C-alpha cells in the first residue's frame, strides 16, 4: 500500500517536472521568437532609413543633373546665337562692300556689331552662372532634419534642463537665430546747387569760407568704431506634442524653483506673478541673472517659451540687464497714516463689535505683515472680556481698515467714519 502511494507521488513529481520542462521550452521559444521579431524590426527600420537616404540622394543628384543640363542648353543657345550674329555681320559686311556709296555706313554697323558680340557673350555667361548658383541655393534650402530630443540646453556653454518631452511621435528641430545687423548711419543731405541768380553770392561765400574749409580739411576724420557682434540665439521647435499647455506650465514651475534660479519676468526683466491659468496658446519669459564677467556688462539667461496647437518653441538668449523686483511703494504721508490709537478711538459698531467704547477690548498686533490689494498691512487681533477672541483686523499703510471674514476666508474693507 505504501509502495503504491510512493509510486503515485513519484509519478506526480515526474509529471510536474515534465510540465515545467515543457513550460521552460515554450518560454525559450517565445524569447527566441521575440528576439527574431525585434531583429527583423530593427533590420526593417534600417532598410527604410537606407531607402529614405537613397531617395534623398537620388533627388539631389537629379536636381544637380537638371541644373547642369539647363546650363549646357543655355551655353549651347548662346553659342548658336553668337554664330548667327557673326554670320549676319559677315553678310552685312559683304553687302556693304558691294554697296558703293553706302560703304562707310555698313562698316560702321559692322564695328558696332563686333563690339556687341563679346558683351552679349559675357551677359549669357553671367546668366548661366547665376542659374547654377540658384540651383545650389535650392539644394541648400532643403528642409531641416529633426534632432534627438535634448535632455539639456547649452546656453553659452552652461547646461540648462530642457523641456521634459518623451515619445517617438515628437519631432524636435534646432536652428540658430543670428543677431540683427546694426542700423546704418544716415547719410548727410546733399548740397543744393545754386541757381544762376545766386552764382555771385555763392562765389562770395566760397571766397569768405576758404579759411574755414582749410581748417575742416586739416581736422582728422573720426575712425569708425567696430561694434561687437550680437549674441546668436538658439531656437528649439517641438512638433507633435499632446498637451503643450500643461507641459509648459509644469516646466515653468520647475524652473522657478530656488535650485533652477529662474523667474517669470516681463520684457523689462521685472519679476511678475504667474497667471492663474494659461491659455491654449501664448508665451512666457523665464530669466535668471548671470554673474557679470570682469569688465563686461551684466546679462541674463532667458528662455522664451511659446506654444500653440500641438507645437511649442524655446528660444535661448543672453540679453543685457538684470532680473529685478518691483520698486517698493512710497509710504503714505503722516496725514493719511492710521495706527492703533485710531483703532482704540473707533466706535465698536464700526468693527462689528458690541459696546459703546473700545475700553473693554484688548488689541494685540501680530508679527510680520501681509499684502492686501497691493498695500502692506499690519494684522491686529482683538480680544473681549474673558480673553475671548473677537476678530482679526488689518491696518494698511495707506490708511485703510479691513476685517477678516473667517467663514468666507476673505477680507472686507471697513469705513473709519
Amino acid at each position: 500500500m505504501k509502495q503504491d502511494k510512493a509510486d503515485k507521488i513519484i509519478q506526480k513529481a515526474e509529471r510536474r517536472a515534465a510540465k515545467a520542462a515543457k513550460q521552460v521550452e515554450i518560454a525559450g521559444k517565445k524569447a527566441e521568437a521575440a528576439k527574431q521579431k525585434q531583429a527583423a524590426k530593427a533590420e526593417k527600420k534600417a532598410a527604410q532609413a537606407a531607402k529614405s537616404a537613397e531617395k534623398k540622394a537620388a533627388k539631389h543628384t537629379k536636381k544637380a543633373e537638371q541644373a547642369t543640363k539647363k546650363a549646357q542648353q543655355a551655353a549651347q543657345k548662346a553659342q548658336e546665337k553668337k554664330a548667327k550674329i557673326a554670320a549676319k555681320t559677315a553678310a552685312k559686311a559683304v553687302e556693304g562692300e558691294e554697296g558703293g556709296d553706302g560703304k562707310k555706313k555698313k562698316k560702321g554697323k559692322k564695328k558696332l556689331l563686333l563690339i556687341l558680340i563679346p558683351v552679349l557673350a559675357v551677359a549669357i555667361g553671367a546668366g548661366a552662372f547665376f542659374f547654377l548658383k540658384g540651383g545650389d541655393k535650392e539644394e541648400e534650402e532643403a528642409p531641416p532634419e529633426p534632432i534627438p530630443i535634448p535632455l539639456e540646453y547649452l546656453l553659452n556653454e552652461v547646461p540648462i534642463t530642457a523641456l521634459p518631452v518623451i515619445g517617438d511621435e515628437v519631432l524636435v528641430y534646432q536652428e540658430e537665430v543670428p543677431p540683427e545687423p546694426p542700423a546704418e548711419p544716415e547719410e548727410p543731405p546733399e548740397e543744393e546747387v545754386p541757381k544762376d541768380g545766386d552764382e555771385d553770392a555763392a562765389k562770395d561765400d566760397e571766397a569768405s569760407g576758404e579759411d574755414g574749409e582749410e581748417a575742416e580739411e586739416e581736422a582728422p576724420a573720426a575712425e569708425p568704431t567696430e561694434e561687437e557682434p550680437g549674441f546668436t540665439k538658439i531656437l528649439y521647435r517641438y512638433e507633435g506634442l499632446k498637451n503643450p499647455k500643461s507641459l509648459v506650465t509644469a516646466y515653468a514651475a520647475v524652473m522657478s524653483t530656488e535650485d533652477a534660479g529662474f523667474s517669470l519676468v516681463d520684457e523689462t526683466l521685472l519679476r511678475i506673478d504667474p497667471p492663474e491659468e494659461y491659455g491654449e496658446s501664448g508665451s512666457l519669459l523665464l530669466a535668471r541673472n548671470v554673474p557679470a564677467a570682469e569688465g563686461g556688462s551684466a546679462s541674463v539667461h532667458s528662455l522664451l517659451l511659446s506654444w500653440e496647437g500641438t507645437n511649442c518653441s524655446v528660444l535661448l538668449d543672453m540679453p543685457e540687464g538684470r532680473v529685478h523686483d518691483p520698486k517698493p511703494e512710497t509710504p503714505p504721508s503722516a496725514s493719511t497714516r492710521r495706527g492703533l490709537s485710531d483703532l482704540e478711538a473707533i466706535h465698536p459698531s464700526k468693527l462689528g463689535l458690541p459696546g459703546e467704547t473700545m475700553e473693554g477690548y484688548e488689541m494685540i498686533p501680530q508679527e510680520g505683515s501681509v499684502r492686501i490689494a497691493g498695500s502692506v498691512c499690519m494684522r491686529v487681533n482683538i480680544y473681549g472680556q474673558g480673553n475671548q477672541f473677537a476678530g482679526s483686523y488689518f491696518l494698511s499703510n495707506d490708511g485703510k481698515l479691513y476685517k477678516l471674514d473667517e467663514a468666507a476666508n476673505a477680507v472686507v474693507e471697513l469705513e473709519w467714519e
Side-chain angles (χ1 to χ4, degrees), residues 95-376:
E95 291 176 0
E97 289 177 359
E98 294 174 354
D101 296 338
K103 184 177 180 181
K104 292 183 178 179
K105 292 182 181 180
K106 296 293 182 180
K107 190 174 182 181
K109 290 183 179 180
K110 180 181 177 183
K111 288 183 178 179
L112 180 60
L113 287 172
L114 289 174
I115 292 171
L116 288 175
I117 287 172
V119 175
L120 183 62
V122 172
I124 293 171
F129 173 76
F130 282 111
F131 174 78
L132 290 174
K133 291 295 286 182
D136 294 341
K137 187 177 181 181
E138 289 180 1
E139 192 169 345
E140 288 177 359
E141 292 178 355
E145 294 290 335
I147 64 171
I149 298 176
L151 300 178
E152 288 183 338
Y153 303 134
L154 278 180
L155 184 55
N156 199 23
E157 299 183 356
V158 177
I160 298 174
T161 303
L163 205 63
V165 176
I166 57 174
D168 297 335
E169 67 278 5
V170 179
L171 299 177
V172 186
Y173 301 91
Q174 178 185 359
E175 59 184 271
E176 293 184 350
V177 182
E180 296 181 0
E184 297 181 357
E186 296 182 0
E187 296 182 357
E190 297 182 358
E191 296 182 359
E192 296 183 359
V193 180
K195 298 179 180 179
D196 295 340
D198 299 336
E199 288 182 356
D200 296 336
K203 290 179 180 179
D204 295 340
D205 292 340
E206 290 177 0
S208 60
E210 286 178 356
D211 297 337
E213 290 178 359
E214 291 177 0
E216 289 179 0
E217 290 177 359
E218 291 176 0
E223 296 182 358
T225 57
E226 294 183 359
E227 296 184 0
E228 295 183 359
F231 182 79
T232 300
K233 305 175 186 178
I234 304 173
L235 178 66
Y236 290 89
R237 292 187 294 108
Y238 295 80
E239 297 180 359
L241 298 172
K242 292 183 179 178
N243 193 347
K245 182 184 76 169
S246 300
L247 180 66
V248 169
T249 304
Y251 182 69
V254 171
M255 299 305 288
S256 299
T257 59
E258 186 176 355
D259 293 337
F262 283 85
S263 301
L264 186 63
V265 298
D266 61 9
E267 296 82 0
T268 63
L269 301 180
L270 175 70
R271 287 189 177 94
I272 58 176
D273 296 328
E276 295 181 359
E277 185 178 358
Y278 291 98
E280 295 300 325
S281 63
S283 63
L284 61 87
L285 181 62
L286 297 171
R288 69 180 179 188
N289 290 326
V290 178
E294 186 176 354
S297 57
S299 61
V300 301
H301 288 161
S302 75
L303 305 173
L304 177 59
L305 287 84
S306 304
W307 67 96
E308 184 176 5
T310 59
N311 300 335
C312 178
S313 65
V314 182
L315 181 63
L316 282 65
D317 193 9
M318 284 191 65
E320 294 184 356
R322 305 298 288 173
V323 177
H324 56 283
D325 293 316
K327 292 183 179 180
E329 297 179 359
T330 306
S333 60
S335 60
T336 60
R337 193 175 300 165
R338 292 177 182 265
L340 288 175
S341 58
D342 298 284
L343 198 59
E344 292 172 353
I346 198 173
H347 196 277
S349 63
K350 296 291 183 182
L351 303 178
L353 301 175
E356 295 297 326
T357 65
M358 295 296 296
E359 292 180 358
Y361 294 94
E362 183 180 4
M363 303 180 187
I364 301 178
Q366 304 298 302
E367 293 183 359
S369 61
V370 295
R371 188 178 290 273
I372 300 175
S375 301
V376 178

